[in-house]
Amino acid sequence: MSSHISTKAAIAGITIEPCIFNAAGPLCVTKEELEAIGSSHSGAIMTKSCTFEPRPGNPEPRYYEDALGSINSMGLPNLGYMKYAEFSSEMKKYRKPYIVSVAGLSLQDNIEIVKYLGQFKDIDAIELNLSCPNVIGKPQVAYDFDASDEMLREVLKVNKHVLGVKLSPYFDFAHFQQMAGVLKKHKLAFVSCVNSLGEGLFIDADAEQVAIKPKGGFGGIGGDYIKPTALANVRKFYELLDRKVPIVGVGGIKSGRDAFEFILAGATAVQIGTEFMRSGTACFARVDAELKALMKEKGYSTLDDFRGKLKVL
Ligand code: DHB
């Protein structure tokens, strides 16, 4: 692939090359899975969202995909935050950023987790997940603007790392504005848009039943179904945060052309979820090669050449 074309990105001084890496969620729970991402072409290693206690997650089946995307109600299966801190020194050998996704079940849990992670210098960044749709009895923090404000204020007080936030998808201009108002009050290194779109429902007409077991079949939707929503969220937050806060785009990216669209909308980097689950670590090299080929065709040599430069009619 043309060596003069670069898909390198930087967030708060951290180099991400290529600008394509795994989304928190699929295939990033165990050390072996994280090592596979480390050995792949992924530009970073993102962990599964961790909680204070280890969790087995919800009953199976809890993930299902069709041709257009996925539904999940995993229920945060993870090894507990201490394990992801412990792994950090071993992840160093892959020479790419190691990012811990944090999804404590309460404000106090997030404070404790982020405080503890501060002791581990081999953790490059934290993505604070305010948008898990799948813990029974726990509404998404990102849909409560006051709770999000308090969460960010208290967590940032104890944080020592580069810290960004993972948002739920929003669907109304008033909500974009309210959340952007909250985000502007805090010093965030990046904003990831979007988490899976909850609460969706897949139905099998033949069997006359739902596709996954938890919560009567309801869960977070990913893949093609959510790409326009994800693009809209990237674009809106890019604009509302005055093009100053790096946006990480995620939602339905499965080709270099998809990645290009997200960067054109304003994304600094992109993450892959459903397509990574479907095709494994090979997707990172493929999407990067496709993105570079498209850039070459268009005469672009860096992401800065087109980032955010979406034309309107
Ligand atoms: C889970 C799903 C999500 O979309 C998320 O942000 C966090 C956790 C899950 O069910 O494990």
Side-chain angles (χ1 to χ4, degrees):
M1 186 45 61
S2 339
S3 56
H4 60 288
I5 294 177
S6 163
T7 51
K8 178 154 83 172
I11 291 179
I14 298 168
T15 299
I16 303 179
E17 184 169 20
C19 63
I20 300 155
F21 58 108
N22 69 297
L27 309 177
C28 54
V29 175
T30 65
K31 191 164 148 212
E32 292 69 29
E33 288 173 334
L34 294 167
E35 285 172 338
I37 296 165
S39 304
S40 79
H41 192 72
S42 177
I45 305 170
M46 173 72 79
T47 73
K48 173 70 184 169
S49 293
C50 62
T51 52
F52 198 81
E53 300 290 346
R55 290 169 59 89
N58 291 338
E60 294 178 341
R62 56 193 187 183
Y63 185 90
Y64 180 85
E65 65 176 37
D66 67 12
L68 296 178
S70 61
I71 184 165
N72 88 82
S73 182
M74 306 302 289
L76 288 171
N78 79 96
L79 306 175
Y81 72 108
M82 285 191 182
K83 281 284 176 202
Y84 299 103
E86 185 191 313
F87 295 160
S88 60
S89 59
E90 292 164 82
M91 293 299 151
K92 221 175 152 48
K93 65 172 174 283
Y94 298 108
R95 303 167 59 85
K96 57 180 75 171
Y98 177 64
I99 308 171
V100 178
S101 172
V102 173
L105 301 184
S106 66
L107 171 64
Q108 209 49 47
D109 281 7
N110 278 332
I111 291 171
E112 282 307 309
I113 294 170
V114 169
K115 201 189 283 181
Y116 180 82
L117 297 181
Q119 305 168 63
F120 292 79
K121 64 177 184 351
D122 294 331
I123 295 173
D124 297 289
I126 293 173
E127 185 181 78
L128 183 66
N129 177 359
L130 299 184
S131 44
C132 175
N134 294 332
V135 180
I136 293 152
K138 298 271 178 194
Q140 295 182 50
V141 175
Y143 287 141
D144 180 331
F145 303 110
D146 291 336
S148 296
D149 189 20
E150 185 188 20
M151 182 71 80
L152 291 173
R153 189 171 55 244
E154 297 306 319
V155 165
L156 285 168
K157 272 185 200 162
V158 300
N159 173 55
K160 290 199 165 63
H161 286 298
V162 165
L163 186 142
V165 68
K166 173 102 168 256
L167 298 179
S168 309
Y170 300 94
F171 308 95
D172 187 276
F173 286 136
H175 293 163
F176 287 123
Q177 264 169 354
Q178 281 184 75
M179 195 60 194
V182 170
L183 298 176
K184 276 186 161 182
K185 291 165 72 176
H186 305 283
K187 231 182 116 36
L188 293 166
F190 62 95
V191 173
S192 301
C193 305
V194 296
N195 210 317
S196 52
L197 191 162
E199 294 282 349
L201 184 64
F202 277 24
I203 292 176
D204 176 343
D206 293 330
E208 303 181 11
Q209 70 179 14
V210 299
I212 58 171
K213 181 166 175 155
K215 297 187 300 183
F218 285 75
I221 309 297
D224 297 7
Y225 292 114
I226 75 166
K227 198 181 90 173
T229 298
L231 282 169
N233 277 257
V234 166
R235 184 67 185 169
K236 265 296 153 205
F237 282 107
Y238 180 67
E239 289 174 350
L240 291 170
L241 300 175
D242 307 319
R243 304 177 178 234
K244 286 187 190 126
V245 181
I247 309 292
V248 179
V250 48
I253 295 164
K254 60 180 188 186
S255 69
R257 199 172 180 85
D258 295 328
F260 183 88
E261 290 175 15
F262 275 82
I263 296 160
L264 200 59
T268 292
V270 298
Q271 300 172 346
I272 305 185
T274 296
E275 177 59 24
F276 174 37
M277 187 72 177
R278 191 194 308 261
S279 64
T281 53
C283 69
F284 303 115
R286 179 180 57 75
V287 172
D288 187 35
E290 290 170 0
L291 175 59
K292 284 179 170 149
L294 185 56
M295 287 169 64
K296 184 176 182 195
E297 214 178 288
K298 288 171 173 282
Y300 297 137
S301 55
T302 71
L303 303 179
D304 289 338
D305 293 344
F306 63 98
R307 177 178 302 107
K309 295 185 182 169
L310 179 67
K311 292 181 233 168
V312 293
L313 303 178

